[in-house]
Amino acid sequence: MEENFLWGGAVAANQCEGAWDIDGKGISTMDCFTGGSVKQQREYTEGVVKGRYYPNHEAIEFYYRYKEDIKLFAEMGFKAFRLSIAWSRIFPKGDEQQANEKGLQYYDDVFDECLKYGIEPVVTISHYETPYHLVEKYGSWLNRSMIDFFEKYCETIFKRYKAKVKYWMTFNEINTMIEYPWFGSGIKSCDEQQKYNAIHNMLVASAKAVKIGHSINRDFKIGAMIFYPMTYPNTCNPVDNLKAMKDMDSHYYFSDIQIRGYYSNKARKFLNQKNIVLNMAPDDLSVLKEGTVDYLGFSYYMSNVASNQNDLQMTSGNLMNTIKNPFLRETDWGWQIDPIGLRISLNQLYDRYQIPLFIVENGIGAIDQLEDNGEVHDQYRIDYLKEHIEQIKLAVEDDGVDLIGYTMWGCIDIISAGTGEMKKRYGFIYVDKDDAGKGTLMRYRKDSFYWYKRVIETNGTMI
Ligand code: BGP
């Protein structure tokens, strides 16, 4: 890989920090998601309800333990660490004029700790963590005022951290808005007209953020970020291929606009056919054109299958269920493991956009066993990551894809976003905590910790 390839790991504030109401932080949407499981969806409550269990409230207390954790990342040799800033630590309600200094100082300290070890922070500006007050008072992104609030938030953090952070991305998996607007932005319910206007507001806000960021530091690299559900047709039947194409078009809708800077022919046709009218301000289209991103970040865990039939066997996946693929193994949570699919995804995205790509999430959620001697033998995680990194190398070295870096998802065990579980572990580092919130929160290096250290040391040659 390139000498400056950004090997690292990724987390999100709401899934690791805890300290949900400390040092001035306001309630965020994710603070209102109860614990759940594969069988029982997380409940999004009206605010924080006394007596309910919210796993994100304590999470793994990264807020207090970040020095210990970043030291462990440095021991692995991380070049980059992807994390998010909790918007409601900076603006507790989201519509204030004055930022919360304790929140700003916290991230100053975290970035300083990263830079002490030569680790590049890669910052997600909004990772499912909308200030809950903005939902209650304005209806979140249904309201165009959010563009101004987001702009204020971005300008504040860009100015504050302009000498410490170079890599940014605006919205985590913005295409989550298709199926889960409450997850992506806290919107409790909306029809298609409202949903695609909320998405339009987010896209305009993202473009404005890019423009502001580049005016504050022209060296900033600001990316878009989608989850990439690369999809195969179930058969060579043309109708299955058409379905696979259409399914992917619904996701390209987001990255097309953020990378190309305009609503494509397909996007406009889609909106027309749904009778969706966007409430545009006069300069929205020029803002989208001027605020195109510098790179595309994406998450990849598994691949999907599309068919015109609807009586086929299904399995679960990241943010969406899919048809079972008989050629693929599944994780304990039913996600289909497809390393070659990652090479295909890299080719599809690079062929389409010809801009640098960044894998900002990839990993396997599994049930890990902490042995009495403090070891965790997670050979299945080494195998998963090894198989995917092999394909990444082929995409770069054989197919010529321009890839900035790879931040493995959940580099330390954290709260699962989809299920709220701790037992769905991703990390190179085991955290002693269970689904009921019990545990010492002590950290333990897994076998994969030492394996990844060698991968980074050899820049991907020894995997
Ligand atoms: C992505 C989110 C991450 C992370 C990941 C794994 O959609 O961006 O926040 O959670 O999925 O999913 P889960 O935690 O549900 O296993």
Side-chain angles (χ1 to χ4, degrees), residues 15 127 172-173 301 318-319 335 361 409 416-418 424 426:
Q15 294 172 255
H127 194 132
N172 180 70
E173 298 184 327
Y301 293 92
N318 186 29
L319 295 162
W335 295 17
E361 291 184 28
W409 176 259
S416 153
K424 187 178 186 187
Y426 282 89

Side-chain angles (χ1 to χ4, degrees), residues 66-98:
Y66 69 90
K67 290 190 177 180
E68 171 193 356
D69 294 341
I70 293 169
K71 189 163 184 275
L72 286 167
F73 302 155
E75 190 183 325
M76 281 188 273
F78 276 21
K79 309 292 182 207
F81 174 45
R82 180 195 173 209
L83 69 161
S84 66
I85 292 178
W87 186 348
S88 61
R89 280 200 196 287
I90 312 301
F91 290 99
K93 288 180 173 238
D95 59 2
E96 300 95 335
Q97 280 309 309
Q98 193 61 36

Side-chain angles (χ1 to χ4, degrees), residues 257-305:
I257 293 169
Q258 290 184 282
I259 294 167
R260 294 172 176 167
Y262 57 84
Y263 279 85
S264 68
N265 54 303
K266 278 189 177 177
R268 291 197 307 275
K269 278 289 178 203
F270 167 80
L271 294 169
N272 290 343
Q273 281 148 13
K274 289 232 175 201
N275 295 318
I276 293 170
V277 176
L278 296 181
N279 312 319
M280 292 233 195
D283 65 346
D284 280 2
L285 293 181
S286 58
V287 165
L288 291 177
K289 191 90 190 113
E290 293 153 14
T292 54
V293 295
D294 302 308
Y295 70 90
L296 176 62
F298 68 100
S299 60
Y300 177 91
Y301 293 92
M302 23 65 71
S303 57
N304 291 45
V305 176

Side-chain angles (χ1 to χ4, degrees), residues 384-430:
Y384 176 100
L385 295 172
K386 176 178 159 59
E387 289 167 358
H388 284 78
I389 291 173
E390 276 166 354
Q391 295 303 320
I392 289 170
K393 287 170 65 179
L394 288 169
V396 171
E397 292 160 8
D398 289 21
D399 308 336
V401 169
D402 179 359
L403 185 65
I404 298 174
Y406 173 84
T407 51
M408 180 275 225
W409 176 259
C411 48
I412 182 170
D413 290 353
I414 52 179
I415 301 291
S416 153
T419 65
E421 295 170 302
M422 260 313 284
K423 80 174 180 203
K424 187 178 186 187
R425 297 174 185 279
Y426 282 89
F428 296 117
I429 301 158
Y430 184 98

Side-chain angles (χ1 to χ4, degrees), residues 108-248:
D108 255 326
D109 297 343
V110 171
F111 299 146
D112 289 345
E113 203 63 24
C114 292
L115 295 170
K116 185 168 103 175
Y117 296 107
I119 297 174
E120 190 82 56
V122 177
V123 177
T124 313
I125 297 169
S126 179
H127 194 132
Y128 301 153
E129 296 148 344
T130 307
Y132 191 69
H133 172 74
L134 296 180
V135 177
E136 284 187 308
K137 183 167 181 187
Y138 302 90
S140 186
W141 287 98
L142 294 172
N143 188 318
R144 270 190 75 99
S145 308
M146 289 290 284
I147 297 172
D148 301 333
F149 301 142
F150 188 74
E151 221 180 315
K152 171 88 176 160
Y153 166 46
C154 291
E155 186 178 14
T156 302
I157 58 179
F158 286 154
K159 281 182 176 167
R160 178 73 174 232
Y161 308 122
K162 66 179 180 225
K164 298 180 180 180
V165 179
K166 176 180 175 184
Y167 289 95
W168 304 85
M169 66 199 89
T170 50
F171 293 99
N172 180 70
E173 298 184 327
I174 190 170
N175 50 327
T176 306
M177 288 297 289
I178 303 173
E179 296 291 336
Y180 303 102
W182 56 89
F183 218 62
S185 65
I187 293 171
K188 295 197 180 332
S189 69
C190 60
D191 60 27
E192 293 285 274
Q193 163 77 10
Q194 290 172 316
K195 176 160 60 173
Y196 279 88
N197 270 285
I199 290 167
H200 174 73
N201 292 338
M202 293 171 81
L203 292 167
V204 169
S206 179
K208 286 193 168 196
V210 173
K211 289 177 69 177
I212 294 167
H214 286 158
S215 71
I216 291 168
N217 182 340
R218 61 185 170 75
D219 294 332
F220 277 176
K221 298 295 178 198
I222 306 172
M225 197 282 190
I226 59 170
F227 76 93
Y228 194 67
M230 195 277 289
T231 300
Y232 303 111
N234 192 41
T235 69
C236 52
N237 182 334
V239 290
D240 284 351
N241 281 270
L242 189 62
K243 177 74 170 56
M245 183 191 86
K246 293 271 178 206
D247 285 357
M248 286 312 293

Side-chain angles (χ1 to χ4, degrees), residues 234-235 237 239-240 243 247 305-314 323:
N234 192 41
T235 69
N237 182 334
V239 290
D240 284 351
K243 177 74 170 56
D247 285 357
V305 176
S307 168
N308 218 39
Q309 289 173 260
N310 49 25
D311 55 355
L312 300 170
Q313 204 183 351
M314 303 294 284
I323 294 164

